[in-house]
Amino acid sequence: MLRIEALTAGYSAIPVLNGVSIDVEQGQFVAIVGPNGAGKTTLFKTISGIVQPSAGSIMFEDRDLLSVPPAQRAHLGIAHVPEGRQVFPSLTVMENLEMGAMTEAGQRDWKHNIERIFEWLPVLAERRGQFAGTLSGGQQQMLAIGRGLASSPKLLMLDEPSMGLAPTIADFIFERLIEIRRQSRLTILLVEQRVAEALESADHGYVIEAGRVALEGNNQTLRADDRIRKAYLGM
Amino acid sequence: MTQALEGFLQALSAGILIGAVYGLMCVGLGLIFGVMRVINFAHGDFMMLGMYAAFYLFTALGVQAAFGNAFGPFVAILLAGPILALFGYAIHLALISRVSGTRTSALEGEGHYAQLILTLGIALILQNGGLIVFGSVLASIRTPLSSSAWVLGPFFDISIFINKARGIDAVVSFIAMILLTLLITRSRIGKSLRAAADNPTAATYMGIDVDRAHRVAFALGSGITAIAGGLLATNYPFHPFVGVEYVIVMYAGVVLGGMGSIIGAFWGGMTIGLVQQMSTLILPTQLQNAAIFVVFLLIIFFRPQGFFGRVVERT
């Protein structure tokens, strides 16, 4: 579904990503892990068109994504739940969700989507009239996820949904994600610092270090790998 | 005593009437400066063009013949709105978009320095171009309604005179304001404008074309201020340099109301109108504008975020 090949991208002349190749198949849950500054967020921004790559290609459903203007990419079915949540603070919870549903598919499925989103993340239903800027961090993260789901995406990209949250809240959000994934069979690309949880729930994983794919494999291979066990899982 | 009260009520009503038009004028800039955070120093001159557009529509392009002397001016003024909206759209497409929106969102100062110089340049060109094209003779949009009044009262010997043209100006302003508020708060396009202003990057992730949203806001703001300008022109004569007199009042109104708030900008403009008219009760007319800025400073001193400004971090 998403095929990234030899992608090099960065800011000004400094490359952050150096020949990264990643594949996401339809229905797969793929996790990308790695240390701070490895280029995970830059990878997402390049997929969404906020960062321009200097080399490589990105294909989405056999379509050259790099030739699609950034604002059109959401309409192809890519939902980006960004790092640090980035909800619209002066819009209400409901209006934020409506913004997620700007895509044609989101418009079409609005009633059905909103029902499911409220069922999965009931706190959003309770707070629907509240300004998003006044929500707690965990609530904002749930809103950001709900906003992504409201677009009826084919691919949901989640950038560190646990960032800056208390461990219990991060656990809760992870649990919700697993549940959403179980019920919707959505294709998910996740970037996460919580390596153990990410690798446990994903089908396939990539380890990115210093802008390169250092390691990749399915869930079992990665969790059994000595380097991962030492560096990330603390075993 | 009765006389003082009558003077007070007369100034109050005059303040509300002119304040409504100032309010609408500020709302136009509020969309561009308050909501989208683009500095436009040519906004007063856009208003000047709106005044001339209404003037020529009325006198030379047949609106007077079609709608008559009394209501023709208001038809011409409303038509000037879309014309200036198109003008604003074009100016944004050709010039402003190069120093604002996604192109500059990552820069220091979000492109404000370039916007300052660019729009001051546009202002100079419009003022001097206006002088060449329209000439330096004072123009005005004359309607017989400007020189007649409705009388309220008498209540206990007190009568208040409402200038008919100003009365209609205020009503048109209030209606335009209500329609715009509904558009911004309720419609999909209005919500996407606010989302684009809140967080341009996240708005792009939603599939909102942020530069297009900016352009729509710029066009809308230009059209709204043009209508307000036309309404002012039914009572005040104008010339190609009239924009300079109003642009500072517009910025004061937007800041007073609170950055980012459309309703705030309206009440900011209303406050300025009220202060301007009420100050004539105790101060000589030459000090009207000084009084506006003394009150402006006082309000900003006690409420730096303005009437409706929210003290919420923009993410």
Side-chain angles (χ1 to χ4, degrees), chain A residues 69-115:
Chain A
Q72 283 304 315
R73 298 188 190 183
H75 298 276
L76 296 180
I78 299 176
H80 185 163
V81 179
E83 183 184 31
R85 311 180 275 276
Q86 304 204 24
V87 295
F88 302 114
S90 72
L91 270 59
T92 64
V93 166
M94 203 60 180
E95 287 172 339
N96 267 274
L97 294 172
E98 285 171 34
M99 289 300 102
M102 288 296 283
T103 63
E104 215 172 282
Q107 290 290 305
R108 191 190 55 219
D109 307 337
W110 169 250
K111 277 218 172 78
H112 173 66
N113 283 342
I114 200 73
E115 226 166 71

Side-chain angles (χ1 to χ4, degrees), chain B residues 46-160:
Chain B
F46 285 20
M47 186 168 95
M48 174 271 289
L49 289 182
M51 290 167 155
Y52 277 103
F55 176 77
Y56 284 114
L57 279 169
F58 179 57
T59 55
L61 296 169
V63 174
Q64 187 170 26
F67 295 92
N69 272 337
F71 294 100
F74 297 100
V75 175
I77 289 162
L78 291 178
L79 288 175
I83 292 174
L84 262 290
L86 274 178
F87 178 79
Y89 191 92
I91 289 278
H92 187 278
L93 186 67
L95 299 169
I96 310 283
S97 63
R98 298 180 192 275
V99 294
S100 67
T102 48
R103 231 180 243 236
T104 58
S105 61
L107 296 182
E108 192 218 336
E110 296 173 341
H112 284 159
Y113 315 126
Q115 289 161 18
L116 206 78
I117 302 304
L118 173 66
T119 58
L120 275 174
I122 294 172
L124 284 176
I125 291 168
L126 292 180
Q127 287 161 16
N128 291 297
L131 198 58
I132 295 170
V133 177
F134 309 128
S136 58
V137 187
L138 282 178
S140 63
I141 300 175
R142 258 178 244 114
T143 153
L145 299 176
S146 305
S147 47
S148 64
W150 288 298
V151 184
L152 298 184
F155 312 103
F156 310 104
D157 295 340
I158 295 174
S159 303
I160 298 168

Side-chain angles (χ1 to χ4, degrees), chain B residues 123-198:
Chain B
L124 284 176
I125 291 168
L126 292 180
Q127 287 161 16
N128 291 297
L131 198 58
I132 295 170
V133 177
F134 309 128
S136 58
V137 187
L138 282 178
S140 63
I141 300 175
R142 258 178 244 114
T143 153
L145 299 176
S146 305
S147 47
S148 64
W150 288 298
V151 184
L152 298 184
F155 312 103
F156 310 104
D157 295 340
I158 295 174
S159 303
I160 298 168
F161 293 90
I162 307 268
N163 180 297
K164 285 185 182 170
R166 291 188 190 195
I168 296 175
D169 291 345
V171 170
V172 171
S173 296
F174 275 115
I175 292 172
M177 178 59 203
I178 291 167
L179 291 179
L180 183 74
T181 308
L182 287 176
L183 180 77
I184 294 294
T185 55
R186 299 288 161 86
S187 75
R188 236 161 86 82
I189 184 114
K191 287 174 195 171
S192 61
L193 288 184
R194 286 187 290 139
D198 253 12

Side-chain angles (χ1 to χ4, degrees), chain A residues 45-197:
Chain A
K45 284 186 175 168
T46 315
I47 298 172
S48 286
I50 301 296
V51 171
Q52 298 298 323
S54 52
S57 69
I58 306 179
M59 303 293 285
F60 181 70
E61 294 190 312
D62 300 323
R63 193 166 175 163
D64 177 15
L65 201 58
L66 295 177
S67 64
V68 179
Q72 283 304 315
R73 298 188 190 183
H75 298 276
L76 296 180
I78 299 176
H80 185 163
V81 179
E83 183 184 31
R85 311 180 275 276
Q86 304 204 24
V87 295
F88 302 114
S90 72
L91 270 59
T92 64
V93 166
M94 203 60 180
E95 287 172 339
N96 267 274
L97 294 172
E98 285 171 34
M99 289 300 102
M102 288 296 283
T103 63
E104 215 172 282
Q107 290 290 305
R108 191 190 55 219
D109 307 337
W110 169 250
K111 277 218 172 78
H112 173 66
N113 283 342
I114 200 73
E115 226 166 71
R116 290 204 306 177
I117 291 166
F118 283 164
E119 191 187 306
W120 287 326
L121 306 163
V123 69
L124 298 183
E126 287 163 31
R127 312 254 166 183
R128 68 181 84 187
Q130 200 172 321
F131 287 114
T134 64
L135 297 176
S136 73
Q139 289 163 351
Q140 286 189 3
Q141 186 61 59
M142 286 184 248
L143 178 55
I145 294 169
R147 190 179 64 175
L149 293 171
S151 69
S152 284
K154 295 173 185 160
L155 170 70
L156 182 67
M157 304 202 305
L158 297 155
D159 194 349
E160 296 213 27
S162 69
M163 194 176 84
L165 300 178
T168 48
I169 295 167
D171 284 343
F172 175 73
I173 285 181
F174 232 86
E175 204 178 278
R176 293 283 81 202
L177 279 176
I178 307 289
E179 179 61 22
I180 290 167
R181 145 96 174 147
R182 196 181 62 76
Q183 289 189 27
S184 66
R185 306 309 303 163
L186 203 58
T187 312
I188 295 180
L189 181 59
L190 169 78
V191 154
E192 192 45 72
Q193 298 246 5
R194 289 161 61 109
V195 177
E197 288 89 340

